[in-house]
Amino acid sequence: MLITHATLATLGSAPRLIEDGALLMEGGRIKELGKTAELEERFPGVEPWDAGGQLVLPGSICGHTHFYGAFSRGMAIPGAPPEDFPQILQQLWWRLDKALTPEDVRYSALVCLVDAVRHGTTTLIDHHASPNAIDGSLDVIAEAVQDAGLRASLCYEVTDRDGPERARKGIEENVRFAEKAEESDRLAASFGLHASLTLSEETLAECVKAARAAGLGFHVHVAEGASDQEDSLEKSGKRVVHRFYDAGVLGPRTIAVHCVHVDDSEIERLAETGTWVTHQPRSNMNNAVGVAPVERMMDAGVKMGLGNDGFSNQMFAEMKTAYFLHKLHQRNPQALQGGRVMELAYANNSELTKVFWPDQQLGELTEGAMADLVFVDYHPTTPLSTDNLPWHLLFGFEASMITSTVCAGRVLMRDRELLTLDEEAITARSRELAAEAWERL
Ligand SMILES: [Zn+2]
């Protein structure tokens, strides 16, 4: 297929803005990029798709999410409202995840995948929990991802909070799925751990042993709330990052999610081990846990990406939040500039995906890269260039402008019509299942 008459924003290491651009897709990848007139002449027999002057960017990448949380929307939490982050975990998340059946897991994922296709997010790194439906849960999610036509890395959050039997099952699910994920080039695996505060030394050691044998890195919440540090100091005499370093969890294939409460010595450790850190500002604001020292970490050489922690799969919204939050928090209009937000969401998230798909170039429109695209019906009212693109995106883009999504050359949404998922049926069944899950809380 030949996409024509698009404004192509290539991003990547040599960003270009190609006006009246064309993009040829072949075998799931980008074969050629150029001007419409030139490519139309060279490829006369190829089926054209006229973008009508829309802006076309690489599909968005989400560095950390939780499909399982979809049924929490509008859910009443029984009892007094939570007063802090540990209470939010206990009263909301650890009640919801226990209520999930395999069908709930499937529909929670489908709801999030519809949202991802609608908002042009083509690659997602998920962190799953369903303590009463552990075995095979990652297969259920993988099937939904395959049906949607998206790309995802999956893992199961191992924890001691539900007893040793379920901790063991969680380990087994990670190991089992890692082999299965190799069957598809749109799936990948990591080894999930919930967080330091719900892991004993023994379970942690078991996980490290199993992950090493399976050749997996970890995906784990790190110092999200101050309570994670207090617990770790009490349990091990070490701060969370140092506890994980000593246990063998850190390294270039591991994602340390959040890192809100890390000190300089921990930041140094994260940098020297090449551990990935992802930032999720909407979640941090909602849980009132604090603001991650994103710029300090980036300046110290920590590899940082952007996730959404289960918030909408509209990564432009996460980018906007990051942009505003750090300015307000530091009372400094120069904090976390637009270029750095773009770095997190594109260059860095693209690099992060190499952990899982080393042979696939993502997050960039270039010859040979995967044909992952989002069409934005955005017609700038002021001059647009590669240099000022971040500010057009941060101040001009709205979710309603996203019209089409392509993943690995397959069109998943065209002119706002979903082509792989039945949104109406998924929505209706999700609403029924969520009502039943809420009854079981
Ligand atoms: Zn999370």
Side-chain angles (χ1 to χ4, degrees):
M1 189 181 271
L2 181 67
I3 294 162
T4 59
H5 304 295
T7 300
L8 301 171
T10 67
L11 304 179
S13 51
R16 283 185 295 161
L17 201 68
I18 308 175
E19 306 263 7
D20 200 13
L23 184 155
L24 178 70
M25 305 191 283
E26 203 180 274
R29 293 185 186 251
I30 298 169
K31 191 155 188 324
E32 298 255 0
L33 285 165
K35 287 281 188 187
T36 294
E38 183 210 327
L39 264 66
E40 272 183 338
E41 199 182 304
R42 285 177 50 210
F43 303 100
V46 180
E47 181 193 354
W49 177 3
D50 186 341
Q54 292 183 79
L55 197 56
V56 174
L57 296 102
S60 296
I61 297 164
C62 172
H64 171 75
T65 195
H66 300 281
F67 297 152
Y68 83 82
F71 290 177
S72 66
R73 187 177 296 171
M75 187 176 89
I77 306 177
E83 285 177 10
D84 56 20
F85 181 57
Q87 287 186 15
I88 293 173
L89 289 175
Q90 283 155 20
Q91 295 182 31
L92 170 60
W93 299 113
W94 297 352
R95 272 189 181 147
L96 175 65
D97 67 9
K98 279 196 191 74
L100 300 177
T101 66
E103 194 184 8
D104 295 334
V105 171
R106 173 170 168 78
Y107 275 85
S108 293
L110 285 170
V111 164
C112 295
L113 295 166
V114 164
D115 185 58
V117 174
R118 279 243 169 264
H119 296 125
T121 298
T122 46
T123 301
L124 302 113
I125 302 176
D126 188 65
H127 200 228
H128 176 67
S130 53
N132 288 315
I134 299 175
D135 301 339
S137 58
L138 298 182
D139 288 357
V140 171
I141 300 171
E143 195 181 270
V145 170
Q146 295 285 48
D147 290 350
L150 293 165
R151 184 183 296 100
S153 172
L154 309 179
C155 69
Y156 190 88
E157 298 179 18
V158 176
T159 172
D160 282 311
R161 73 175 149 99
D162 305 306
E165 173 67 13
R166 290 194 178 97
R168 187 183 55 75
K169 281 190 176 184
I171 293 173
E172 285 170 6
E173 183 62 7
N174 279 308
V175 171
R176 189 195 60 73
F177 180 72
E179 241 177 77
K180 172 110 179 173
E182 285 173 13
E183 292 169 14
S184 166
D185 53 14
R186 281 189 291 101
L187 293 174
S190 62
F191 196 105
L193 301 172
H194 170 250
S196 175
L197 85 163
T198 66
L199 287 162
S200 66
E201 289 298 310
E202 297 71 35
T203 302
L204 201 49
E206 283 297 310
C207 291
V208 170
K209 208 168 92 186
R212 280 201 182 136
L216 295 171
F218 293 93
H219 184 177
V220 56
H221 295 122
V222 172
E224 179 174 4
S227 52
D228 202 20
Q229 289 292 7
E230 289 155 16
D231 172 89
S232 179
L233 284 165
E234 202 174 296
K235 217 151 48 185
S236 66
K238 300 168 202 165
R239 293 180 66 86
V240 176
V241 170
H242 300 309
R243 181 181 182 221
F244 279 158
Y245 174 77
D246 289 345
V249 169
L250 304 186
R253 292 173 56 78
T254 287
I255 304 173
V257 181
H258 296 302
C259 292
V260 173
H261 298 275
V262 286
D263 70 10
D264 287 344
S265 71
E266 291 176 290
I267 291 174
E268 213 173 291
R269 247 310 123 73
L270 291 164
E272 86 192 16
T273 54
T275 304
W276 280 94
V277 173
T278 59
H279 181 44
Q280 291 72 217
R282 285 183 294 179
S283 164
N284 296 158
M285 290 164 73
N286 183 49
N287 287 328
V289 289
V291 180
V294 170
E295 286 173 291
R296 262 172 57 214
M297 288 194 270
M298 290 174 91
D299 291 342
V302 176
K303 297 190 290 185
M304 295 228 37
L306 192 72
N308 66 29
D309 211 13
F311 273 68
S312 76
N313 285 313
Q314 200 228 124
M315 293 307 289
F316 302 132
E318 198 73 41
M319 293 170 73
K320 288 183 194 190
T321 306
Y323 183 78
F324 296 130
L325 170 62
H326 293 267
K327 286 175 181 55
L328 176 63
H329 178 63
Q330 295 178 37
R331 294 198 195 178
N332 174 8
Q334 292 177 6
L336 202 69
Q337 286 296 294
R340 290 202 112 174
V341 175
M342 288 295 278
E343 204 179 315
L344 286 171
Y346 288 98
N348 295 9
N349 270 6
S350 160
E351 193 61 30
L352 168 58
T353 64
K354 292 232 159 59
V355 171
F356 305 107
W357 297 280
D359 304 329
Q360 300 182 24
Q361 177 78 40
L362 303 170
E364 180 177 354
L365 304 185
T366 183
E367 277 140 29
M370 298 309 295
D372 286 13
L373 313 169
V374 53
F375 288 48
V376 185
D377 197 11
Y378 178 71
H379 302 271
T381 53
T382 53
L384 171 68
S385 67
T386 46
D387 290 339
N388 74 9
L389 176 66
W391 292 273
H392 277 274
L393 191 156
L394 291 164
F395 291 98
F397 280 23
E398 296 300 338
S400 59
M401 296 172 180
I402 300 168
T403 68
S404 300
T405 301
V406 177
C407 182
R410 185 174 175 200
V411 185
L412 309 184
M413 176 170 77
R414 184 159 174 168
D415 300 329
R416 297 192 175 86
E417 189 197 339
L418 298 193
L419 302 179
T420 52
L421 298 172
D422 183 345
E423 185 175 13
E424 208 180 309
I426 290 168
T427 302
R429 185 65 185 140
S430 163
R431 206 159 45 229
E432 286 171 4
L433 291 168
E436 290 168 20
W438 290 1
E439 289 292 315
R440 292 193 298 273
L441 288 181

